[in-house]
């Protein structure tokens, strides 16, 4: 039974990589995991969730009312993108980059629209990674 769970987890990870949810950074994180710290990746990802919730909330607040500080929005998204990059969240990172492009163009509607995509990609990845970590246990 345990071997089957491991195979399912390996298949799921391959699928997440193939579908572009994750990139090679996630594999690098897993390479740092060892017997002394068997939950290293899951702990790093949980820190990402904590940081991300704060970034998302701050960006939501900044998008609510004008005047809009595009430099501040860009900086907040830059931090979120860096955090996403640290765990290999490829699709989230890509959406963050698009948000930054709208910030540079000072396009608030573009920012709002793509931010929905950022949140959707983040939520999808979170659900998929939670399932993956359950299989890994």
């Amino acid at each position: 039974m345990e071997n089957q769970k491991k195979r399912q987890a390996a298949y799921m990870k391959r699928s997440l990589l193939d579908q572009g949810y994750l990139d090679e950074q996630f594999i690098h994180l897993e390479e740092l995991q060892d017997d002394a710290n068997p939950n290293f990746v899951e702990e790093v990802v949980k820190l990402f969730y904590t940081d991300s919730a704060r970034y998302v909330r701050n960006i939501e607040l900044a998008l609510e009312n004008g005047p809009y500080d595009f430099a501040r929005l860009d900086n907040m998204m830059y931090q979120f993108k860096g955090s996403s990059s640290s765990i290999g969240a490829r699709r989230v990172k890509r959406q963050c980059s698009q948000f930054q492009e709208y910030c540079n163009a000072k396009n608030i509607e573009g920012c709002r629209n793509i931010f929905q995509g950022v949140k959707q990609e983040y939520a999808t990845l979170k659900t998929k990674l939670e399932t993956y970590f359950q299989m890994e246990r």
Side-chain angles (χ1 to χ4, degrees):
M1 183 69 167
E2 189 164 317
N3 278 343
Q4 183 180 2
K5 279 178 72 175
K6 292 289 184 190
R7 278 196 306 275
Q8 287 175 329
Y11 176 79
M12 183 169 192
K13 180 173 67 174
R14 172 61 26 219
S15 181
L16 290 171
L17 290 161
D18 290 347
Q19 294 172 17
Y21 286 103
L22 296 173
D23 64 23
E24 65 281 346
Q25 179 60 30
F26 188 81
I27 294 169
H28 294 311
L29 279 178
E30 287 193 323
E31 290 169 354
L32 296 173
Q33 188 164 285
D34 59 19
D35 291 340
N37 199 352
N39 299 320
F40 175 75
V41 177
E42 189 170 3
E43 290 168 12
V44 169
V45 170
K46 283 182 181 178
L47 288 173
F48 165 71
Y49 294 156
T50 301
D51 289 345
S52 296
R54 188 177 73 245
Y55 296 138
V56 166
R57 185 67 193 133
N58 289 340
I59 294 167
E60 283 175 334
L61 290 171
L63 287 172
E64 280 180 6
N65 305 324
Y68 301 103
D69 184 343
F70 288 99
R72 184 169 169 261
L73 280 166
D74 182 67
N75 185 53
M76 287 188 286
M77 189 57 75
Y78 177 79
Q79 292 174 0
F80 186 28
K81 183 170 83 173
S83 184
S84 299
S85 192
S86 72
I87 68 152
R90 184 176 178 195
R91 285 188 179 190
V92 175
K93 186 173 65 173
R94 193 173 340 148
Q95 294 282 316
C96 291
S97 292
Q98 289 179 318
F99 181 97
Q100 289 183 286
E101 288 173 20
Y102 283 117
C103 281
N104 291 334
K106 299 190 180 342
N107 179 338
I108 195 63
E109 286 310 312
C111 288
R112 284 190 180 122
N113 290 337
I114 201 70
F115 189 57
Q116 297 308 311
V118 170
K119 292 191 300 184
Q120 180 62 49
E121 289 295 348
Y122 168 75
T124 300
L125 179 65
K126 185 175 180 183
T127 299
K128 289 180 180 290
L129 284 177
E130 286 171 352
T131 301
Y132 172 71
F133 289 127
Q134 285 175 355
M135 288 179 184
E136 279 284 294
R137 288 189 201 114

PDB file of all heavy atoms in Angstrom, residues 107-119:
ATOM      1  N   ASN A 107      -2.232  50.316 -15.643  1.00  0.00           N
ATOM      2  CA  ASN A 107      -3.543  49.841 -16.076  1.00  0.00           C
ATOM      3  C   ASN A 107      -4.215  49.126 -14.892  1.00  0.00           C
ATOM      4  O   ASN A 107      -4.001  47.941 -14.658  1.00  0.00           O
ATOM      5  CB  ASN A 107      -3.362  48.892 -17.266  1.00  0.00           C
ATOM      6  CG  ASN A 107      -4.660  48.328 -17.783  1.00  0.00           C
ATOM      7  OD1 ASN A 107      -5.671  48.289 -17.079  1.00  0.00           O
ATOM      8  ND2 ASN A 107      -4.628  47.852 -19.011  1.00  0.00           N
ATOM      9  N   ILE A 108      -5.031  49.866 -14.152  1.00  0.00           N
ATOM     10  CA  ILE A 108      -5.643  49.309 -12.937  1.00  0.00           C
ATOM     11  C   ILE A 108      -6.630  48.194 -13.257  1.00  0.00           C
ATOM     12  O   ILE A 108      -6.710  47.200 -12.519  1.00  0.00           O
ATOM     13  CB  ILE A 108      -6.290  50.411 -12.058  1.00  0.00           C
ATOM     14  CG1 ILE A 108      -6.574  49.877 -10.651  1.00  0.00           C
ATOM     15  CG2 ILE A 108      -7.554  50.961 -12.696  1.00  0.00           C
ATOM     16  CD1 ILE A 108      -5.351  49.465  -9.875  1.00  0.00           C
ATOM     17  N   GLU A 109      -7.382  48.307 -14.337  1.00  0.00           N
ATOM     18  CA  GLU A 109      -8.321  47.241 -14.691  1.00  0.00           C
ATOM     19  C   GLU A 109      -7.572  45.967 -15.072  1.00  0.00           C
ATOM     20  O   GLU A 109      -7.986  44.864 -14.716  1.00  0.00           O
ATOM     21  CB  GLU A 109      -9.271  47.684 -15.804  1.00  0.00           C
ATOM     22  CG  GLU A 109     -10.339  48.656 -15.337  1.00  0.00           C
ATOM     23  CD  GLU A 109     -11.094  48.193 -14.095  1.00  0.00           C
ATOM     24  OE1 GLU A 109     -11.545  47.026 -14.056  1.00  0.00           O
ATOM     25  OE2 GLU A 109     -11.238  48.992 -13.162  1.00  0.00           O
ATOM     26  N   GLY A 110      -6.471  46.129 -15.795  1.00  0.00           N
ATOM     27  CA  GLY A 110      -5.628  44.979 -16.121  1.00  0.00           C
ATOM     28  C   GLY A 110      -5.096  44.325 -14.862  1.00  0.00           C
ATOM     29  O   GLY A 110      -5.083  43.092 -14.739  1.00  0.00           O
ATOM     30  N   CYS A 111      -4.665  45.157 -13.913  1.00  0.00           N
ATOM     31  CA  CYS A 111      -4.171  44.629 -12.633  1.00  0.00           C
ATOM     32  C   CYS A 111      -5.264  43.842 -11.915  1.00  0.00           C
ATOM     33  O   CYS A 111      -5.011  42.728 -11.435  1.00  0.00           O
ATOM     34  CB  CYS A 111      -3.690  45.767 -11.735  1.00  0.00           C
ATOM     35  SG  CYS A 111      -2.149  46.543 -12.228  1.00  0.00           S
ATOM     36  N   ARG A 112      -6.434  44.420 -11.854  1.00  0.00           N
ATOM     37  CA  ARG A 112      -7.539  43.740 -11.163  1.00  0.00           C
ATOM     38  C   ARG A 112      -7.876  42.407 -11.834  1.00  0.00           C
ATOM     39  O   ARG A 112      -8.094  41.403 -11.155  1.00  0.00           O
ATOM     40  CB  ARG A 112      -8.776  44.627 -11.142  1.00  0.00           C
ATOM     41  CG  ARG A 112      -8.711  45.737 -10.138  1.00  0.00           C
ATOM     42  CD  ARG A 112     -10.074  46.410 -10.017  1.00  0.00           C
ATOM     43  NE  ARG A 112     -10.010  47.480  -9.054  1.00  0.00           N
ATOM     44  CZ  ARG A 112     -10.303  48.743  -9.334  1.00  0.00           C
ATOM     45  NH1 ARG A 112     -10.713  49.089 -10.538  1.00  0.00           N
ATOM     46  NH2 ARG A 112     -10.214  49.666  -8.390  1.00  0.00           N
ATOM     47  N   ASN A 113      -7.961  42.428 -13.149  1.00  0.00           N
ATOM     48  CA  ASN A 113      -8.322  41.207 -13.874  1.00  0.00           C
ATOM     49  C   ASN A 113      -7.274  40.115 -13.710  1.00  0.00           C
ATOM     50  O   ASN A 113      -7.613  38.959 -13.429  1.00  0.00           O
ATOM     51  CB  ASN A 113      -8.545  41.510 -15.359  1.00  0.00           C
ATOM     52  CG  ASN A 113      -9.802  42.310 -15.599  1.00  0.00           C
ATOM     53  OD1 ASN A 113     -10.735  42.303 -14.792  1.00  0.00           O
ATOM     54  ND2 ASN A 113      -9.835  43.021 -16.710  1.00  0.00           N
ATOM     55  N   ILE A 114      -6.017  40.455 -13.887  1.00  0.00           N
ATOM     56  CA  ILE A 114      -4.965  39.433 -13.792  1.00  0.00           C
ATOM     57  C   ILE A 114      -4.795  38.968 -12.343  1.00  0.00           C
ATOM     58  O   ILE A 114      -4.407  37.831 -12.097  1.00  0.00           O
ATOM     59  CB  ILE A 114      -3.633  39.921 -14.417  1.00  0.00           C
ATOM     60  CG1 ILE A 114      -2.736  38.727 -14.781  1.00  0.00           C
ATOM     61  CG2 ILE A 114      -2.886  40.841 -13.478  1.00  0.00           C
ATOM     62  CD1 ILE A 114      -3.232  37.917 -15.924  1.00  0.00           C
ATOM     63  N   PHE A 115      -5.113  39.847 -11.377  1.00  0.00           N
ATOM     64  CA  PHE A 115      -5.008  39.440  -9.982  1.00  0.00           C
ATOM     65  C   PHE A 115      -5.973  38.299  -9.672  1.00  0.00           C
ATOM     66  O   PHE A 115      -5.661  37.427  -8.856  1.00  0.00           O
ATOM     67  CB  PHE A 115      -5.242  40.630  -9.047  1.00  0.00           C
ATOM     68  CG  PHE A 115      -4.948  40.323  -7.613  1.00  0.00           C
ATOM     69  CD1 PHE A 115      -3.691  39.866  -7.234  1.00  0.00           C
ATOM     70  CD2 PHE A 115      -5.913  40.476  -6.638  1.00  0.00           C
ATOM     71  CE1 PHE A 115      -3.418  39.562  -5.902  1.00  0.00           C
ATOM     72  CE2 PHE A 115      -5.650  40.190  -5.320  1.00  0.00           C
ATOM     73  CZ  PHE A 115      -4.401  39.729  -4.940  1.00  0.00           C
ATOM     74  N   GLN A 116      -7.125  38.281 -10.344  1.00  0.00           N
ATOM     75  CA  GLN A 116      -8.040  37.150 -10.178  1.00  0.00           C
ATOM     76  C   GLN A 116      -7.356  35.868 -10.656  1.00  0.00           C
ATOM     77  O   GLN A 116      -7.505  34.806 -10.045  1.00  0.00           O
ATOM     78  CB  GLN A 116      -9.352  37.395 -10.934  1.00  0.00           C
ATOM     79  CG  GLN A 116     -10.147  38.587 -10.419  1.00  0.00           C
ATOM     80  CD  GLN A 116     -10.376  38.539  -8.924  1.00  0.00           C
ATOM     81  OE1 GLN A 116     -10.796  37.531  -8.365  1.00  0.00           O
ATOM     82  NE2 GLN A 116     -10.083  39.647  -8.252  1.00  0.00           N
ATOM     83  N   GLY A 117      -6.603  35.979 -11.739  1.00  0.00           N
ATOM     84  CA  GLY A 117      -5.842  34.835 -12.240  1.00  0.00           C
ATOM     85  C   GLY A 117      -4.748  34.409 -11.283  1.00  0.00           C
ATOM     86  O   GLY A 117      -4.510  33.214 -11.093  1.00  0.00           O
ATOM     87  N   VAL A 118      -4.086  35.377 -10.676  1.00  0.00           N
ATOM     88  CA  VAL A 118      -3.055  35.073  -9.676  1.00  0.00           C
ATOM     89  C   VAL A 118      -3.670  34.266  -8.543  1.00  0.00           C
ATOM     90  O   VAL A 118      -3.146  33.211  -8.145  1.00  0.00           O
ATOM     91  CB  VAL A 118      -2.407  36.375  -9.112  1.00  0.00           C
ATOM     92  CG1 VAL A 118      -1.524  36.076  -7.913  1.00  0.00           C
ATOM     93  CG2 VAL A 118      -1.620  37.114 -10.190  1.00  0.00           C
ATOM     94  N   LYS A 119      -4.793  34.757  -8.025  1.00  0.00           N
ATOM     95  CA  LYS A 119      -5.451  34.070  -6.901  1.00  0.00           C
ATOM     96  C   LYS A 119      -5.933  32.677  -7.299  1.00  0.00           C
ATOM     97  O   LYS A 119      -5.822  31.736  -6.506  1.00  0.00           O
ATOM     98  CB  LYS A 119      -6.601  34.911  -6.354  1.00  0.00           C
ATOM     99  CG  LYS A 119      -6.132  36.185  -5.675  1.00  0.00           C
ATOM    100  CD  LYS A 119      -7.213  36.900  -4.889  1.00  0.00           C
ATOM    101  CE  LYS A 119      -8.381  37.315  -5.706  1.00  0.00           C
ATOM    102  NZ  LYS A 119      -9.378  38.093  -4.940  1.00  0.00           N
TER     103      LYS A 119
END
